[in-house]
Amino acid sequence: MEFPKGFKWGTATASYQIEGAAGEDGRGESIWDRFSRTPGKVLNGHTGDVACDHYHLYKHDVALMKEIGVDSYRFSLAWPRIYPTGAGQVNHRGLDFYKRLIEELLTAGIEPAATLYHWDLPQALEDKGGWMNRDTALYFQDYAETVFQELGDSVQLWITLNEPWCSAFLGYGNGEHAPGKQDFAGHLHAAHHLLLAHGLALQAYRALNLPAEIGITLNLTQQYPASSSPEDQEAVRKADGFHNRWYLDPLLKGFYPQDMPEFLSIVAPKIQPGDFDLISAPLDFLGINNYSRGIVEHDGQGGYRSVPPQGPVTAMGWEVYPQGLYDLLMRVHKDYGPLPLYITENGAAYHDLVEQGRVHDQERIVYLQEHIAQAAKAIQDGVPLQGYYVWSLLDNFEWAFGYERRFGIVYVNFETQERMLKDSALWYQSFLKGLARG
Ligand code: IFM
């Protein structure tokens, strides 16, 4: 497998999933604090109060990354650490944590890649309507500007939002994620405001003339028909519109997909003049999170439904289908290129067991090898892919599944906070050692 010079190899995490220290150094409440403490919302009543205690153990975690040999670390900043109520006074103790983390990374020779928003909205903003309220996008711009001014010269890669589809649909559409609202139309308004927030942050970034790259990360899943019937092809168009194009098109073409009139009529009243100019301002790269594929069939009523996976699945029930990554990269490049791409997340949850001090997670190793091979194939076929981040460095708080789903290449004992490199981390280490990098 060949990768271009300067290709970045990394691992990824997110603030609420690993930091813990929920009430420390002035951090405000986030929607995930509120949601996870609401009975019945998260498996086993787990919360991110302690998580991997990374807030205190970050030096140790950076040392682990150095041992593995990654070039770059993708983490996210918790907005409520920096603005405890979303706006107003900056909490410098919160910002200082990220300064310490970045310093530690740079000393270890690891490039910081920072995401501004990975789902932990300040609860005070949710109390004003959250992402359904257009003002949240303006508060986000202020938060982003503060972060760029404070940390802008030490971060190499900026990501405005992680997976706005999840923030919008899971948060406001079906309610599986915080803040747990169930309002289909509302979720499209939330999506529009998230995209606007991205555009406003990008505008703030460009105004500061900072040297690093900036982009956004989408969770994209290639959709396949259950059969070759025209009805199932049509089902694919709709599923693709909902999961992928509703975000790709406004960002990269400057308008919502015109073949989705039922969505357009809902969101149209919220669109203001100039919104698409902000949303579609040029990106330095697009980040792609990919784990699986979708297979859909028509439902006989003008809609579609998912059909069960046709191959092996991970502990999330997600089909392992590496070719889906290749197909997705080729398609994004063909329909939206030329634009540099990063795989900002790829990985798998399995039911890992500790056996005599080792975790033999062979399935995860194979998953990573096969996906990396598909990424290499896409590069060979012309896709300007610039990096690959394994999700995740550590076992962590997997949202509505609490600590029951382990995605880490590093095992975490949540009782003792001990870490242990799984076989997949050792494999990644030797794979990286074997590459000619530079
Ligand atoms: O854990 C999540 C992450 O926060 C966002 N992308 C998908 C991962 C696995 O579900």
Side-chain angles (χ1 to χ4, degrees), residues 280-308:
S280 65
L283 297 171
D284 296 325
F285 67 89
L286 174 71
I288 295 178
N289 292 353
N290 175 257
Y291 290 86
S292 186
R293 67 162 166 175
I295 312 176
V296 293
E297 65 182 4
H298 71 101
D299 65 2
Q301 295 170 342
Y304 69 89
R305 61 182 162 234
S306 297
V307 307

Side-chain angles (χ1 to χ4, degrees), residues 193-385:
H193 298 145
L194 279 151
L195 290 168
L196 182 65
H198 155 79
L200 288 165
L202 196 61
Q203 185 189 50
Y205 187 80
R206 299 293 186 216
L208 290 168
N209 271 320
L210 290 166
E213 296 169 48
I214 186 164
I216 183 171
T217 280
L218 302 179
N219 54 310
L220 300 177
T221 306
Q222 190 74 359
Q223 304 292 326
Y224 299 82
S227 77
S228 56
S229 73
E231 292 84 0
D232 286 352
Q233 301 287 346
E234 174 63 6
V236 164
R237 183 187 64 74
K238 289 192 165 134
D240 184 56
F242 174 55
H243 285 279
N244 303 322
R245 288 183 292 116
W246 195 256
Y247 298 84
L248 284 165
D249 283 15
L251 289 162
L252 299 167
K253 294 186 171 168
F255 44 82
Y256 285 120
Q258 299 301 302
D259 64 337
M260 301 186 68
E262 55 299 10
F263 280 42
L264 282 170
S265 61
I266 293 171
V267 81
K270 298 283 172 180
I271 302 172
Q272 293 189 9
D275 283 4
F276 286 123
D277 295 336
L278 288 164
I279 293 170
S280 65
L283 297 171
D284 296 325
F285 67 89
L286 174 71
I288 295 178
N289 292 353
N290 175 257
Y291 290 86
S292 186
R293 67 162 166 175
I295 312 176
V296 293
E297 65 182 4
H298 71 101
D299 65 2
Q301 295 170 342
Y304 69 89
R305 61 182 162 234
S306 297
V307 307
Q310 294 177 356
V313 295
T314 67
M316 297 296 281
W318 298 345
E319 183 179 354
V320 179
Y321 189 73
Q323 196 197 318
L325 177 60
Y326 172 82
D327 292 345
L328 177 71
L329 290 169
M330 295 302 291
R331 176 273 174 106
V332 170
H333 180 54
K334 176 171 123 321
D335 292 352
Y336 300 94
L339 175 68
L341 304 177
Y342 283 92
I343 296 170
T344 40
E345 286 181 25
N346 175 244
Y350 286 108
H351 298 293
D352 298 319
L353 292 176
V354 181
E355 293 167 307
Q356 292 162 352
R358 295 282 300 273
V359 176
H360 300 300
D361 56 340
Q362 187 58 25
E363 288 173 298
R364 183 175 290 107
I365 294 176
V366 172
Y367 180 101
L368 296 175
Q369 285 173 330
E370 290 183 342
H371 282 80
I372 289 172
Q374 293 294 326
K377 193 169 160 227
I379 293 172
Q380 248 178 23
D381 291 345
V383 174
L385 187 67

Side-chain angles (χ1 to χ4, degrees), residues 24-287:
E24 222 157 304
D25 290 336
R27 175 185 176 279
E29 188 188 14
S30 80
I31 54 174
W32 272 95
D33 297 297
R34 180 73 62 92
F35 187 76
S36 63
R37 287 175 196 152
T38 308
K41 298 295 186 193
V42 173
L43 200 61
N44 301 322
H46 289 162
T47 73
D49 285 0
V50 179
C52 307
D53 199 20
H54 172 77
Y55 194 78
H56 299 112
L57 299 177
Y58 70 95
K59 287 192 179 181
H60 186 58
D61 295 334
V62 172
L64 288 174
M65 282 187 273
K66 188 170 180 186
E67 191 181 337
I68 295 169
V70 298
D71 304 308
S72 177
Y73 172 48
R74 174 177 175 237
F75 59 96
S76 78
L77 291 95
W79 185 349
R81 280 200 196 283
I82 295 168
Y83 284 103
T85 57
Q89 282 290 321
V90 176
N91 175 33
H92 285 280
R93 288 181 297 162
L95 261 176
D96 287 348
F97 166 67
Y98 298 107
K99 290 185 180 166
R100 292 195 295 277
L101 171 63
I102 288 170
E103 180 65 38
E104 195 68 20
L105 287 167
L106 294 174
T107 307
I110 299 171
E111 285 189 0
T115 304
L116 290 173
Y117 184 71
H118 197 127
W119 308 353
D120 38 3
L121 184 72
Q123 180 64 41
L125 293 186
E126 181 54 38
D127 295 342
K128 296 181 188 163
W131 287 110
M132 294 224 255
N133 177 358
R134 189 178 169 97
D135 289 348
T136 300
L138 302 171
Y139 292 126
F140 183 75
Q141 186 181 35
D142 293 343
Y143 154 64
E145 190 170 27
T146 300
V147 171
F148 295 146
Q149 277 164 346
E150 295 277 342
L151 311 175
D153 52 0
S154 47
V155 168
Q156 267 87 3
L157 208 70
W158 288 103
I159 294 167
T160 53
L161 305 178
N162 181 70
E163 304 182 353
W165 180 90
C166 293
S167 303
F169 182 66
L170 302 179
Y172 296 86
N174 73 3
E176 280 176 21
H177 280 188
K181 300 273 185 320
Q182 293 179 319
D183 172 356
F184 188 81
H187 111 266
L188 291 176
H189 302 321
H192 187 68
H193 298 145
L194 279 151
L195 290 168
L196 182 65
H198 155 79
L200 288 165
L202 196 61
Q203 185 189 50
Y205 187 80
R206 299 293 186 216
L208 290 168
N209 271 320
L210 290 166
E213 296 169 48
I214 186 164
I216 183 171
T217 280
L218 302 179
N219 54 310
L220 300 177
T221 306
Q222 190 74 359
Q223 304 292 326
Y224 299 82
S227 77
S228 56
S229 73
E231 292 84 0
D232 286 352
Q233 301 287 346
E234 174 63 6
V236 164
R237 183 187 64 74
K238 289 192 165 134
D240 184 56
F242 174 55
H243 285 279
N244 303 322
R245 288 183 292 116
W246 195 256
Y247 298 84
L248 284 165
D249 283 15
L251 289 162
L252 299 167
K253 294 186 171 168
F255 44 82
Y256 285 120
Q258 299 301 302
D259 64 337
M260 301 186 68
E262 55 299 10
F263 280 42
L264 282 170
S265 61
I266 293 171
V267 81
K270 298 283 172 180
I271 302 172
Q272 293 189 9
D275 283 4
F276 286 123
D277 295 336
L278 288 164
I279 293 170
S280 65
L283 297 171
D284 296 325
F285 67 89
L286 174 71

